[in-house]
């Protein structure tokens, strides 16, 4: 609130020798670092500060379902915050809501340059390392020419090279050339055999949509089962309270916690059901508009750079 950014806050905490979260948990005998050596227990990073500033846990809430396994690689990936299940007022808050909201407002107004200079690169955030799966960050080589290049983010994680053995540096212009050549081949193929092109695209979209629907149905089943369990728990604590086995204060806290989780599950179940219907509509829409899209690409081949930018944005 005093105008200092995450990097400045991290430097202040390091200078004051405040324990980093991992070291603090290690001293308490909890967390994942109990048996691991921490060489510098006061080395705060700006990313840790950002995580703390944006974490609703410090408001007294519990955040569940922040990750979800993807159907393609079967690995857990972070989901958008609006898809989290947030159970409010489960423990004592250490900051108030107004302060938290003001911090989010201040951070949302920060002016960022995604590639270091100028506008966002059209491929920014779309490239991933083939070896470790990390995102490829855009950099500008500061040699006066400011040539944009992509580097593997996993390679730069400390210790260097522990996640990915190489930074896989590649010039952005080379990637754009590859994308242009691929688009040319797609346009050529769609012009030569439009029926086969349409069949292949429809088959690929249908497979992706089927996997997405299966994932949503599985999630819907989990949510339904958990909601039924919460109904049983609510009846149980009501009976225990009526018989005097559960104090009123404890009953009110558990009742609010279970009711909050039920409300979050109802919201997520509604989202899953709505997305399934949207998936069916999108599949039909793509099948209808695909021939027109192929013709549009062919007509625009003379201005391939504009096609590329529109293609990436969409």
């Amino acid at each position: 609130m005093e105008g200092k950014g995450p990097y400045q806050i991290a430097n202040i905490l390091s200078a004051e020798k405040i324990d980093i979260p991992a070291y603090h948990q290690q001293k308490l005998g909890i967390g994942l670092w109990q048996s691991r050596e921490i060489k510098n227990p006061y080395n705060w990073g700006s990313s840790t500060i950002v995580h703390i500033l944006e974490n609703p846990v410090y408001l007294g809430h519990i955040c569940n379902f922040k990750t979800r396994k993807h159907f393609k690689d079967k690995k857990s990936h972070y989901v958008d915050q609006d898809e989290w299940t947030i159970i409010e007022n489960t423990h004592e808050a250490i900051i108030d809501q107004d302060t938290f909201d003001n911090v989010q407002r201040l951070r949302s107004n920060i002016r960022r340059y995604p590639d270091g200079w100028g506008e966002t690169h059209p491929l920014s955030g779309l490239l991933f390392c083939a070896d470790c799966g990390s995102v490829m960050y855009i950099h500008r080589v500061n040699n006066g020419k400011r040539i944009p290049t992509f580097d593997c983010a996993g390679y730069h994680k400390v210790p260097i090279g522990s996640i990915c053995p190489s930074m896989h540096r590649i010039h952005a212009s080379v990637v754009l050339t590859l994308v242009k050549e691929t688009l040319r081949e797609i346009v050529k193929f769609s012009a030569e055999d439009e029926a086969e092109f349409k069949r292949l695209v429809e088959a690929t979209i249908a497979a992706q949509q089927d996997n997405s629907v299966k994932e949503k149905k599985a999630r819907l089943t989990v949510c339904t089962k958990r909601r039924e369990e919460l109904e049983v728990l609510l009846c149980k604590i009501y009976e225990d309270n009526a018989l005097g086995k559960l104090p009123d204060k404890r009953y009110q806290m558990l009742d609010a916690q279970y009711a909050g989780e039920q409300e979050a599950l109802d919201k997520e179940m509604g989202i899953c059901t709505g997305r399934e219907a949207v998936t069916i509509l999108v599949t039909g829409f793509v099948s209808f508009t695909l021939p027109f899209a192929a013709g549009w690409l062919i007509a625009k081949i003379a201005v391939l750079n504009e096609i590329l930018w529109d293609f990436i944005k969409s």
Side-chain angles (χ1 to χ4, degrees):
M1 298 297 293
E2 297 177 359
K4 293 182 173 60
Y7 184 76
Q8 294 170 306
I9 297 174
N11 288 338
I12 293 173
L13 295 177
S14 299
E16 295 180 357
K17 295 190 179 301
I18 305 298
D19 296 343
I20 61 175
Y23 185 59
H24 179 70
Q25 290 183 344
Q26 188 182 77
K27 292 198 297 186
L28 295 177
I30 59 176
L32 303 175
W33 288 78
Q34 299 181 46
S35 59
R36 300 168 67 179
E37 180 185 2
I38 300 177
K39 296 181 179 180
N40 191 345
Y42 313 115
N43 185 25
W44 283 81
S46 58
S47 59
T48 303
I49 303 299
V50 171
H51 175 73
I52 292 174
L53 293 175
E54 298 177 350
N55 196 342
V57 170
Y58 299 103
L59 288 170
H61 310 328
I62 288 180
C63 305
N64 293 328
F65 308 116
K66 293 190 290 185
T67 61
R68 192 168 299 162
K69 286 188 177 179
H70 199 273
F71 67 90
K72 288 185 178 180
D73 57 12
K74 308 302 180 185
K75 295 181 180 180
S76 294
H77 298 267
Y78 283 99
V79 300
D80 294 334
Q81 189 168 346
D82 57 359
E83 298 185 37
W84 295 0
T85 299
I86 300 179
I87 305 173
E88 299 182 350
N89 304 320
T90 58
H91 54 274
E92 184 179 357
I94 62 175
I95 59 172
D96 58 87
Q97 185 70 50
D98 289 340
T99 302
F100 183 82
D101 292 340
N102 283 331
V103 170
Q104 309 315 309
R105 177 180 56 81
L106 291 172
R107 286 191 49 76
S108 65
N109 293 328
I110 296 174
R111 187 177 182 182
R112 295 180 176 89
Y113 295 93
D115 62 357
W117 287 277
E119 298 180 353
T120 304
H121 194 275
L123 296 178
S124 180
L126 299 177
L127 301 184
F128 297 87
C129 177
D131 290 338
C132 68
S134 300
V135 67
M136 299 286 286
Y137 284 155
I138 184 74
H139 295 282
R140 295 269 189 172
V141 179
N142 192 11
N143 58 0
K145 298 181 181 180
R146 296 181 177 179
I147 301 173
T149 61
F150 285 96
D151 295 345
C152 173
Y155 172 79
H156 296 285
K157 299 293 184 182
V158 179
I160 298 295
S162 59
I163 297 179
C164 192
S166 171
M167 71 171 62
H168 300 294
R169 174 171 290 178
I170 182 171
H171 286 282
S173 59
V174 175
V175 180
L176 284 173
T177 300
L178 292 174
V179 173
K180 290 177 183 178
E181 291 177 355
T182 303
L183 285 175
R184 284 196 181 97
E185 292 298 324
I186 292 174
V187 171
K188 181 180 178 182
F189 174 66
S190 66
E192 293 176 350
D193 193 343
E194 183 177 329
E196 179 64 13
F197 172 74
K198 179 181 177 181
R199 187 192 67 80
L200 290 174
V201 174
E202 286 181 340
T204 302
I205 293 175
Q208 293 176 348
Q209 299 295 351
D210 287 344
N211 288 329
S212 178
V213 170
K214 289 178 182 178
E215 183 181 1
K216 297 304 177 186
K217 286 184 177 179
R219 181 61 191 160
L220 190 61
T221 302
V222 172
C223 291
T224 303
K225 182 179 179 181
R226 177 56 182 168
R227 200 186 188 291
E228 294 172 353
E229 293 173 352
L230 289 173
E231 287 289 348
V232 175
L233 290 172
L234 285 169
C235 293
K236 178 65 176 174
I237 63 173
Y238 177 78
E239 292 177 358
D240 289 346
N241 178 255
L243 296 174
K245 297 180 181 180
L246 187 67
D248 290 342
K249 185 176 181 181
R250 184 66 175 171
Y251 166 75
Q252 292 173 0
M253 185 186 72
L254 290 174
D255 182 66
Q257 178 178 335
Y258 291 152
E261 187 175 354
Q262 268 190 336
E263 184 178 351
L265 287 172
D266 289 340
K267 180 179 178 182
E268 185 175 0
M269 290 166 66
I271 293 174
C272 290
T273 305
R275 285 182 178 175
E276 184 176 344
V278 169
T279 296
I280 297 173
L281 291 174
V282 168
T283 304
F285 175 77
V286 170
S287 297
F288 177 75
T289 58
L290 189 59
F292 302 100
W296 179 79
L297 282 174
I298 296 171
K300 294 291 184 179
I301 191 64
V303 284
L304 195 55
N305 285 327
E306 286 77 10
I307 294 178
L308 178 60
W309 178 236
D310 293 338
F311 184 82
I312 292 169
K313 287 197 297 183
S314 60

